[in-house]
Amino acid sequence: MSDAHDQEELPPLGSSAELPTLDFSTFVLSIIGSAYVHLGDAPSPDGREEQNLVLAHQDIDLLSLLQEKTKGNLTGDEERLIEQALYDLRMRYLEVSKRS
């Protein structure tokens, strides 16, 4: 796929204060945020609040896949983050889907 050489060819992003540190937890949090947008609990980047249960389900499935594929390779905090997020999102998905 890509290697360190490929990353060197990318243009600089600008000030590092603009973006959070790139790590596993930040990646997981971005998927969690996306799920809440798709559940209609948070506004989308364009400011609209739209519910899309198909995409919310896909976000939850993606987190579940990450949990499965990274099992045994995460810190305790990372494991708890995914586990708690999956529980919360699944419960919220059930609430929202019952109303739809």
XYZ file of all heavy atoms in Angstrom:
782
model
N 0.824 -1.182 0.000
C 0.000 0.000 0.000
C 0.864 1.239 0.000
O 1.379 1.615 -1.003
C -0.925 -0.013 1.203
C -2.024 -0.970 1.109
S -3.314 -0.360 2.195
C -4.593 -1.421 1.726
N 1.001 1.905 1.168
C 1.838 3.081 1.224
C 2.972 2.844 2.203
O 2.914 1.980 3.047
C 1.027 4.308 1.636
O 0.626 4.184 2.970
N 3.993 3.627 2.043
C 5.117 3.530 2.957
C 5.518 4.932 3.380
O 4.891 5.911 3.005
C 6.283 2.764 2.326
C 6.754 3.386 1.015
O 6.487 4.585 0.782
O 7.398 2.678 0.224
N 6.576 5.034 4.154
C 7.018 6.335 4.654
C 7.369 7.275 3.513
O 7.165 8.483 3.606
C 8.207 6.154 5.595
N 7.878 6.734 2.411
C 8.233 7.562 1.259
C 7.014 8.280 0.701
O 7.074 9.448 0.348
C 8.900 6.705 0.182
C 9.298 7.497 -1.031
N 10.324 8.403 -1.010
C 8.788 7.517 -2.285
C 10.438 8.951 -2.217
N 9.516 8.426 -3.005
N 5.853 7.568 0.633
C 4.625 8.179 0.131
C 4.191 9.344 1.015
O 3.728 10.356 0.533
C 3.488 7.159 0.080
C 3.714 6.096 -0.976
O 4.498 6.346 -1.918
O 3.115 5.017 -0.850
N 4.343 9.202 2.320
C 3.936 10.252 3.240
C 4.806 11.489 3.093
O 4.341 12.596 3.300
C 3.980 9.746 4.681
C 2.924 8.698 4.940
C 3.013 8.140 6.342
O 3.959 8.403 7.070
N 2.021 7.358 6.719
N 6.057 11.326 2.737
C 6.953 12.460 2.577
C 6.550 13.340 1.397
O 6.842 14.519 1.375
C 8.390 11.985 2.392
C 8.981 11.363 3.636
C 10.356 10.783 3.388
O 10.842 10.829 2.243
O 10.936 10.275 4.345
N 5.847 12.780 0.429
C 5.478 13.521 -0.763
C 4.223 14.372 -0.571
O 3.908 15.194 -1.417
C 5.267 12.554 -1.927
C 6.546 11.842 -2.322
C 6.319 10.814 -3.410
O 5.237 10.787 -4.017
O 7.230 10.023 -3.634
N 3.509 14.211 0.540
C 2.304 14.985 0.774
C 2.673 16.406 1.180
O 3.635 16.618 1.915
C 1.469 14.344 1.884
C 0.888 12.973 1.573
C 0.197 12.413 2.804
C -0.079 13.047 0.409
N 1.905 17.389 0.728
C 2.184 18.766 1.137
C 1.878 18.950 2.618
O 1.028 18.252 3.175
C 1.237 19.594 0.270
C 0.149 18.669 -0.107
C 0.762 17.295 -0.158
N 2.546 19.895 3.274
C 2.279 20.135 4.697
C 0.852 20.636 4.903
O 0.287 21.317 4.050
C 3.305 21.194 5.091
C 3.795 21.782 3.824
C 3.552 20.781 2.733
N 0.275 20.296 6.060
C -1.102 20.666 6.361
C -1.229 22.060 6.955
O -2.311 22.576 7.075
C -1.708 19.662 7.349
C -1.980 18.281 6.790
C -2.429 17.349 7.893
C -3.033 18.340 5.706
N -0.178 22.648 7.384
C -0.267 23.953 8.034
C -0.008 23.798 9.511
O 0.670 22.886 9.953
N -0.592 24.639 10.296
C -0.377 24.651 11.738
C -0.897 23.368 12.372
O -2.014 22.940 12.116
C -1.090 25.847 12.355
O -1.062 25.761 13.747
N -0.085 22.756 13.229
C -0.510 21.536 13.910
C -1.594 21.827 14.939
O -2.264 20.929 15.410
C 0.687 20.846 14.567
O 1.258 21.715 15.533
N -1.794 23.100 15.296
C -2.844 23.466 16.244
C -4.234 23.321 15.628
O -5.230 23.300 16.339
C -2.634 24.888 16.731
N -4.316 23.220 14.317
C -5.603 23.125 13.628
C -6.258 21.757 13.792
O -7.470 21.649 13.791
C -5.422 23.392 12.133
C -4.976 24.793 11.808
C -4.666 24.962 10.335
O -5.048 24.080 9.533
O -4.038 25.953 9.984
N -5.460 20.722 13.911
C -5.976 19.362 13.943
C -5.527 18.641 15.209
O -4.440 18.891 15.722
C -5.463 18.581 12.729
C -5.884 19.106 11.370
C -5.145 18.369 10.266
C -7.380 18.968 11.186
N -6.349 17.689 15.700
C -5.921 16.896 16.854
C -4.792 15.948 16.456
O -4.581 15.668 15.271
C -7.170 16.118 17.246
C -8.034 16.125 16.040
C -7.677 17.345 15.247
N -4.081 15.459 17.433
C -3.025 14.483 17.197
C -3.620 13.252 16.530
O -4.698 12.795 16.910
C -2.384 14.060 18.534
O -1.907 15.226 19.186
C -1.250 13.085 18.316
N -2.932 12.735 15.536
C -3.411 11.536 14.861
C -2.960 10.309 15.640
O -1.780 10.013 15.729
C -2.864 11.472 13.436
C -3.374 12.537 12.486
C -2.706 12.399 11.130
C -4.875 12.437 12.341
N -3.930 9.633 16.222
C -3.671 8.376 16.902
C -4.927 7.511 16.785
O -5.932 7.930 16.198
C -3.241 8.586 18.358
C -4.286 9.310 19.206
O -5.442 9.451 18.767
O -3.939 9.724 20.322
N -4.867 6.327 17.339
C -5.974 5.397 17.210
C -7.251 5.952 17.830
O -8.334 5.860 17.250
C -5.609 4.050 17.840
C -6.651 2.997 17.624
C -6.742 2.344 16.413
C -7.545 2.670 18.630
C -7.713 1.376 16.194
C -8.520 1.707 18.434
C -8.596 1.056 17.211
N -7.136 6.560 19.007
C -8.321 7.090 19.684
C -8.977 8.202 18.877
O -10.208 8.282 18.811
C -7.949 7.590 21.079
O -7.565 6.502 21.897
N -8.180 9.061 18.265
C -8.731 10.130 17.432
C -9.492 9.543 16.255
O -10.572 10.018 15.888
C -7.610 11.060 16.930
O -6.893 11.559 18.047
C -8.166 12.212 16.115
N -8.946 8.491 15.667
C -9.611 7.812 14.552
C -10.957 7.237 15.006
O -11.987 7.434 14.349
C -8.702 6.714 14.002
C -9.321 5.885 12.921
C -9.775 6.466 11.750
C -9.443 4.515 13.071
C -10.351 5.692 10.741
C -10.006 3.741 12.069
C -10.470 4.331 10.914
N -10.960 6.561 16.148
C -12.195 5.984 16.677
C -13.205 7.090 16.982
O -14.393 6.971 16.664
C -11.902 5.115 17.922
C -13.183 4.704 18.630
C -11.096 3.883 17.526
N -12.739 8.179 17.595
C -13.635 9.289 17.912
C -14.250 9.900 16.658
O -15.406 10.347 16.683
C -12.895 10.352 18.724
C -12.575 9.947 20.167
C -11.618 10.948 20.791
C -13.848 9.813 20.992
N -13.525 9.900 15.550
C -14.091 10.437 14.308
C -15.228 9.545 13.798
O -16.232 10.047 13.292
C -13.017 10.610 13.237
O -12.573 9.373 12.747
N -15.090 8.250 13.957
C -16.163 7.328 13.551
C -17.365 7.481 14.479
O -18.517 7.478 14.028
C -15.656 5.875 13.519
C -14.534 5.730 12.500
C -16.806 4.909 13.197
C -13.795 4.406 12.571
N -17.094 7.642 15.779
C -18.174 7.853 16.742
C -18.947 9.128 16.379
O -20.180 9.137 16.356
C -17.614 7.950 18.174
C -17.021 6.603 18.605
C -18.697 8.408 19.157
C -16.187 6.672 19.876
N -18.219 10.195 16.081
C -18.868 11.447 15.694
C -19.715 11.284 14.459
O -20.837 11.809 14.385
N -19.203 10.553 13.500
C -19.951 10.291 12.277
C -21.239 9.526 12.578
O -22.301 9.824 12.023
C -19.068 9.500 11.310
O -19.760 9.181 10.141
N -21.147 8.553 13.466
C -22.332 7.772 13.834
C -23.393 8.661 14.469
O -24.583 8.540 14.152
C -21.941 6.641 14.785
N -22.976 9.562 15.360
C -23.954 10.455 15.987
C -24.581 11.415 14.977
O -25.757 11.750 15.093
C -23.333 11.206 17.161
C -23.286 10.349 18.415
C -22.082 9.987 18.990
C -24.458 9.885 19.010
C -22.035 9.188 20.123
C -24.432 9.082 20.141
C -23.220 8.744 20.694
O -23.191 7.942 21.808
N -23.818 11.842 13.990
C -24.391 12.656 12.919
C -25.443 11.839 12.180
O -26.565 12.308 11.942
C -23.295 13.153 11.944
C -23.909 13.724 10.672
C -22.406 14.190 12.620
N -25.121 10.604 11.840
C -26.055 9.765 11.091
C -27.267 9.351 11.919
O -28.329 9.073 11.361
C -25.333 8.539 10.528
C -24.317 8.900 9.503
N -23.045 8.368 9.488
C -24.348 9.778 8.475
C -22.365 8.891 8.490
N -23.136 9.751 7.861
N -27.113 9.334 13.249
C -28.257 9.048 14.114
C -29.140 10.282 14.304
O -30.218 10.202 14.888
C -27.776 8.536 15.475
C -27.217 7.118 15.480
C -26.505 6.822 16.797
C -28.312 6.095 15.209
N -28.665 11.431 13.810
C -29.424 12.669 13.933
C -29.186 13.384 15.245
O -29.901 14.333 15.575
N -28.196 12.959 16.028
C -27.915 13.552 17.332
C -26.908 14.692 17.269
O -26.689 15.367 18.269
C -27.387 12.485 18.295
C -28.457 11.468 18.659
O -29.652 11.769 18.493
O -28.092 10.372 19.117
N -26.284 14.872 16.144
C -25.297 15.947 15.973
C -25.456 16.498 14.561
O -25.823 15.766 13.636
C -23.878 15.406 16.175
N -25.188 17.776 14.398
C -25.297 18.347 13.050
C -24.169 17.855 12.152
O -23.062 17.586 12.624
C -25.199 19.850 13.279
C -24.513 20.000 14.585
C -24.832 18.775 15.385
N -24.453 17.731 10.884
C -23.422 17.345 9.916
C -22.481 18.533 9.723
O -22.796 19.652 10.130
C -24.069 16.934 8.600
O -24.735 18.016 8.021
N -21.350 18.324 9.095
C -20.407 19.429 8.871
C -21.021 20.619 8.143
O -20.599 21.751 8.343
C -19.293 18.793 8.044
C -19.340 17.347 8.410
C -20.801 17.056 8.645
N -22.043 20.376 7.339
C -22.688 21.494 6.638
C -23.816 22.111 7.463
O -24.544 22.977 6.981
C -23.184 21.071 5.256
C -24.207 19.959 5.305
O -24.649 19.585 6.409
O -24.569 19.456 4.227
N -23.964 21.664 8.712
C -24.927 22.269 9.625
C -26.302 21.639 9.656
O -27.124 21.979 10.487
N -26.557 20.712 8.769
C -27.871 20.064 8.729
C -27.918 18.893 9.702
O -26.935 18.221 9.924
C -28.183 19.562 7.325
C -28.365 20.670 6.316
C -28.710 20.128 4.973
N -27.530 19.398 4.470
C -27.513 18.651 3.395
N -28.599 18.494 2.692
N -26.419 18.056 3.001
N -29.079 18.676 10.289
C -29.284 17.502 11.127
C -30.135 16.529 10.333
O -31.327 16.735 10.164
C -29.966 17.881 12.437
C -29.056 18.675 13.347
C -29.663 18.917 14.711
O -30.434 18.063 15.175
O -29.362 19.951 15.292
N -29.494 15.501 9.833
C -30.197 14.508 9.025
C -29.936 13.129 9.586
O -28.808 12.796 9.937
C -29.713 14.554 7.573
C -30.125 15.795 6.846
C -29.744 15.733 5.375
O -29.438 14.642 4.869
O -29.759 16.792 4.746
N -30.967 12.347 9.648
C -30.847 10.986 10.147
C -30.681 10.035 8.963
O -31.388 10.140 7.965
C -32.118 10.655 10.911
C -31.980 9.517 11.852
C -33.260 9.371 12.638
O -34.270 8.954 12.075
N -33.232 9.727 13.897
N -29.726 9.121 9.075
C -29.518 8.109 8.057
C -29.117 6.830 8.785
O -27.954 6.626 9.115
C -28.436 8.543 7.070
C -28.298 7.585 5.906
O -28.482 6.378 6.064
N -27.971 8.107 4.747
N -30.102 5.995 9.059
C -29.852 4.798 9.862
C -28.969 3.780 9.153
O -28.258 3.023 9.808
C -31.171 4.163 10.295
C -31.997 4.999 11.279
C -33.277 4.276 11.652
C -31.189 5.335 12.510
N -28.994 3.772 7.845
C -28.130 2.850 7.106
C -26.663 3.212 7.352
O -25.837 2.344 7.650
C -28.454 2.866 5.594
C -27.435 2.066 4.808
C -29.856 2.341 5.347
N -26.341 4.507 7.252
C -24.966 4.943 7.495
C -24.591 4.829 8.967
O -23.443 4.502 9.293
C -24.753 6.367 6.990
C -24.812 6.528 5.470
C -24.655 7.997 5.090
C -23.755 5.675 4.788
N -25.541 5.061 9.875
C -25.273 4.878 11.303
C -24.925 3.417 11.581
O -23.971 3.124 12.320
C -26.475 5.306 12.132
N -25.673 2.516 10.991
C -25.400 1.082 11.157
C -24.017 0.738 10.613
O -23.265 -0.035 11.219
C -26.488 0.273 10.444
C -26.526 -1.161 10.839
N -25.605 -2.076 10.406
C -27.378 -1.824 11.659
C -25.893 -3.261 10.912
N -26.965 -3.130 11.689
N -23.668 1.325 9.489
C -22.358 1.072 8.891
C -21.233 1.581 9.808
O -20.209 0.911 9.966
C -22.268 1.733 7.527
C -20.987 1.408 6.787
C -20.964 2.012 5.392
O -21.608 3.018 5.120
N -20.213 1.399 4.508
N -21.419 2.740 10.418
C -20.424 3.256 11.359
C -20.251 2.304 12.547
O -19.128 2.026 12.979
C -20.834 4.639 11.891
C -20.776 5.727 10.837
O -19.945 5.624 9.908
O -21.564 6.691 10.948
N -21.364 1.802 13.071
C -21.315 0.864 14.196
C -20.622 -0.427 13.771
O -19.786 -0.971 14.504
C -22.731 0.607 14.744
C -23.284 1.901 15.351
C -22.728 -0.523 15.760
C -24.775 1.879 15.640
N -20.937 -0.923 12.579
C -20.281 -2.122 12.066
C -18.781 -1.900 11.894
O -17.972 -2.799 12.159
C -20.889 -2.555 10.729
C -22.257 -3.186 10.874
O -22.661 -3.526 12.012
O -22.939 -3.333 9.839
N -18.401 -0.713 11.458
C -16.980 -0.391 11.277
C -16.250 -0.413 12.619
O -15.149 -0.969 12.738
C -16.833 0.964 10.601
C -15.411 1.448 10.336
C -14.625 0.464 9.492
C -15.446 2.811 9.661
N -16.857 0.167 13.644
C -16.245 0.124 14.976
C -16.137 -1.305 15.484
O -15.138 -1.679 16.105
C -17.059 0.963 15.959
C -16.867 2.458 15.883
C -17.834 3.169 16.824
C -15.441 2.848 16.205
N -17.155 -2.103 15.221
C -17.131 -3.511 15.624
C -16.006 -4.269 14.911
O -15.295 -5.080 15.515
C -18.483 -4.153 15.326
O -18.506 -5.484 15.743
N -15.829 -3.986 13.637
C -14.750 -4.593 12.859
C -13.387 -4.186 13.426
O -12.494 -5.020 13.583
C -14.866 -4.186 11.396
C -13.761 -4.668 10.457
C -13.837 -6.171 10.279
C -13.869 -3.959 9.119
N -13.231 -2.905 13.743
C -11.985 -2.432 14.346
C -11.717 -3.131 15.672
O -10.584 -3.522 15.965
C -12.038 -0.922 14.575
C -11.695 -0.041 13.405
C -11.948 1.420 13.755
C -10.253 -0.221 12.984
N -12.757 -3.286 16.468
C -12.601 -3.959 17.753
C -12.112 -5.395 17.547
O -11.192 -5.856 18.225
C -13.924 -3.960 18.515
C -13.835 -4.611 19.884
C -15.175 -4.676 20.567
O -16.189 -5.017 19.944
N -15.210 -4.338 21.850
N -12.720 -6.070 16.588
C -12.356 -7.461 16.305
C -10.926 -7.576 15.778
O -10.143 -8.408 16.237
C -13.340 -8.029 15.274
C -13.043 -9.442 14.854
C -13.967 -9.899 13.736
O -15.154 -9.519 13.734
O -13.487 -10.636 12.853
N -10.563 -6.730 14.837
C -9.264 -6.824 14.175
C -8.103 -6.318 15.029
O -6.954 -6.647 14.754
C -9.280 -6.065 12.837
C -10.222 -6.661 11.814
C -9.750 -8.039 11.403
C -10.609 -8.589 10.284
N -10.142 -9.905 9.842
N -8.399 -5.512 16.042
C -7.330 -4.969 16.876
C -7.266 -5.636 18.248
O -6.482 -5.227 19.099
C -7.499 -3.448 17.059
O -8.770 -3.181 17.656
C -7.365 -2.720 15.737
N -8.080 -6.659 18.455
C -8.146 -7.336 19.750
C -6.750 -7.796 20.187
O -6.028 -8.424 19.426
C -9.092 -8.524 19.672
C -9.440 -9.115 20.993
C -10.539 -10.139 20.856
C -11.094 -10.451 22.225
N -12.399 -11.067 22.137
N -6.386 -7.437 21.402
C -5.086 -7.818 21.944
C -3.963 -6.864 21.586
O -2.831 -7.045 22.037
N -4.250 -5.858 20.781
C -3.223 -4.914 20.345
C -3.484 -3.481 20.809
O -2.797 -2.567 20.372
C -3.105 -4.920 18.812
C -2.560 -6.229 18.297
O -1.565 -6.720 18.798
N -3.239 -6.806 17.330
N -4.478 -3.290 21.660
C -4.844 -1.949 22.098
C -4.470 -1.737 23.560
O -4.360 -2.690 24.322
C -6.356 -1.726 21.933
C -6.921 -1.857 20.530
C -8.429 -1.672 20.549
C -6.271 -0.853 19.591
N -4.325 -0.483 23.926
C -4.140 -0.155 25.338
C -5.485 -0.335 26.034
O -6.533 -0.432 25.389
C -3.673 1.298 25.520
O -4.733 2.179 25.105
C -2.405 1.592 24.730
N -5.463 -0.353 27.339
C -6.704 -0.477 28.103
C -7.671 0.648 27.802
O -8.877 0.424 27.662
N -7.140 1.865 27.704
C -7.991 3.017 27.389
C -8.623 2.892 26.010
O -9.801 3.222 25.822
C -7.197 4.317 27.460
C -6.869 4.731 28.886
O -7.518 4.229 29.830
O -5.959 5.567 29.060
N -7.863 2.417 25.034
C -8.395 2.246 23.677
C -9.476 1.175 23.648
O -10.513 1.342 22.997
C -7.267 1.895 22.708
C -6.304 3.033 22.465
C -5.034 2.608 21.750
O -4.672 1.406 21.783
O -4.379 3.491 21.158
N -9.251 0.074 24.366
C -10.255 -0.995 24.439
C -11.542 -0.483 25.068
O -12.638 -0.762 24.576
C -9.728 -2.177 25.250
C -8.678 -2.999 24.542
C -8.146 -4.127 25.409
O -8.818 -4.509 26.404
O -7.062 -4.631 25.096
N -11.411 0.255 26.156
C -12.591 0.793 26.835
C -13.326 1.797 25.949
O -14.558 1.841 25.938
C -12.201 1.432 28.171
C -11.917 0.406 29.260
C -11.671 1.053 30.608
N -10.420 1.805 30.647
C -9.225 1.267 30.837
N -9.102 -0.046 30.985
N -8.142 2.024 30.877
N -12.587 2.604 25.213
C -13.201 3.577 24.311
C -14.087 2.874 23.286
O -15.255 3.241 23.101
C -12.127 4.408 23.596
C -12.620 5.390 22.530
C -13.528 6.451 23.145
C -11.441 6.024 21.805
N -13.548 1.869 22.625
C -14.339 1.153 21.608
C -15.508 0.414 22.245
O -16.629 0.459 21.737
C -13.456 0.182 20.798
C -12.518 0.949 19.887
C -14.310 -0.765 19.972
C -11.653 0.076 19.008
N -15.252 -0.259 23.357
C -16.307 -1.030 24.013
C -17.462 -0.124 24.453
O -18.631 -0.429 24.194
C -15.732 -1.764 25.219
C -16.692 -2.727 25.867
C -16.027 -3.531 26.974
O -14.901 -4.013 26.764
O -16.652 -3.654 28.042
N -17.146 0.979 25.094
C -18.184 1.897 25.566
C -18.909 2.557 24.397
O -20.126 2.710 24.419
C -17.595 2.961 26.486
C -18.638 3.821 27.151
C -19.531 3.028 28.098
O -19.047 2.302 28.950
N -20.836 3.153 27.939
N -18.152 2.933 23.374
C -18.764 3.556 22.203
C -19.739 2.600 21.527
O -20.852 2.999 21.157
C -17.692 4.008 21.217
N -19.333 1.353 21.370
C -20.216 0.377 20.735
C -21.489 0.178 21.546
O -22.590 0.130 20.986
C -19.495 -0.952 20.524
C -18.565 -0.987 19.320
C -17.697 -2.248 19.354
C -19.362 -0.929 18.033
N -21.347 0.080 22.849
C -22.535 -0.089 23.692
C -23.466 1.111 23.544
O -24.669 0.957 23.283
C -22.133 -0.281 25.156
C -23.326 -0.370 26.070
C -24.029 -1.559 26.191
C -23.777 0.742 26.778
C -25.153 -1.646 27.007
C -24.890 0.670 27.594
C -25.577 -0.524 27.704
O -26.689 -0.601 28.504
N -22.914 2.311 23.718
C -23.725 3.530 23.636
C -24.386 3.691 22.271
O -25.574 4.024 22.183
C -22.870 4.769 23.928
C -22.395 4.837 25.371
O -22.940 4.109 26.236
O -21.454 5.612 25.636
N -23.619 3.473 21.211
C -24.165 3.642 19.858
C -25.216 2.585 19.538
O -26.227 2.891 18.895
C -23.045 3.625 18.818
C -22.146 4.849 18.817
C -20.920 4.607 17.941
C -22.911 6.087 18.346
N -24.999 1.365 19.958
C -26.002 0.319 19.709
C -27.307 0.626 20.429
O -28.396 0.457 19.871
C -25.455 -1.045 20.120
C -24.416 -1.576 19.152
C -23.755 -2.838 19.663
N -22.847 -3.389 18.668
C -21.764 -4.097 18.968
N -21.446 -4.345 20.240
N -20.999 -4.559 18.014
N -27.205 1.074 21.684
C -28.415 1.425 22.439
C -29.130 2.614 21.788
O -30.354 2.610 21.643
C -28.075 1.765 23.891
C -27.567 0.597 24.715
S -28.753 -0.755 24.846
C -28.048 -1.947 23.709
N -28.374 3.598 21.381
C -28.964 4.769 20.733
C -29.600 4.388 19.391
O -30.672 4.870 19.043
C -27.908 5.866 20.539
C -28.445 7.128 19.964
C -29.422 7.805 20.910
N -29.980 8.982 20.262
C -31.246 9.306 20.301
N -32.112 8.593 20.995
N -31.674 10.375 19.671
N -28.927 3.514 18.637
C -29.460 3.052 17.360
C -30.819 2.367 17.574
O -31.759 2.599 16.815
C -28.472 2.092 16.693
C -28.942 1.563 15.367
C -28.705 2.254 14.199
C -29.671 0.377 15.286
C -29.154 1.784 12.972
C -30.132 -0.097 14.083
C -29.877 0.601 12.923
O -30.332 0.145 11.714
N -30.908 1.523 18.606
C -32.178 0.847 18.889
C -33.274 1.850 19.214
O -34.408 1.721 18.736
C -32.010 -0.149 20.034
C -31.206 -1.397 19.720
C -30.982 -2.222 20.982
C -31.901 -2.233 18.650
N -32.951 2.856 20.038
C -33.935 3.897 20.373
C -34.414 4.626 19.127
O -35.624 4.815 18.934
C -33.304 4.927 21.321
C -33.051 4.437 22.713
C -32.304 5.483 23.542
O -32.367 6.682 23.208
O -31.651 5.081 24.514
N -33.498 5.040 18.302
C -33.835 5.824 17.113
C -34.606 4.964 16.107
O -35.588 5.412 15.523
C -32.557 6.419 16.469
C -32.859 7.038 15.113
C -31.929 7.446 17.401
N -34.177 3.728 15.916
C -34.837 2.881 14.909
C -36.255 2.497 15.339
O -37.128 2.304 14.482
C -33.998 1.635 14.632
O -33.880 0.834 15.788
N -36.520 2.430 16.640
C -37.888 2.129 17.105
C -38.838 3.281 16.794
O -40.025 3.055 16.575
C -37.893 1.854 18.610
C -37.345 0.518 18.967
C -37.370 0.290 20.472
C -36.745 -1.042 20.817
N -36.709 -1.258 22.274
N -38.332 4.512 16.795
C -39.163 5.671 16.503
C -39.405 5.863 15.011
O -40.323 6.556 14.618
C -38.513 6.947 17.053
C -38.644 7.052 18.551
C -38.190 8.398 19.038
N -36.748 8.341 19.262
C -35.909 9.322 19.001
N -36.327 10.440 18.506
N -34.622 9.180 19.252
N -38.553 5.260 14.198
C -38.664 5.467 12.741
C -39.657 4.543 12.096
O -40.049 3.560 12.535
C -37.293 5.259 12.086
O -36.396 6.217 12.580
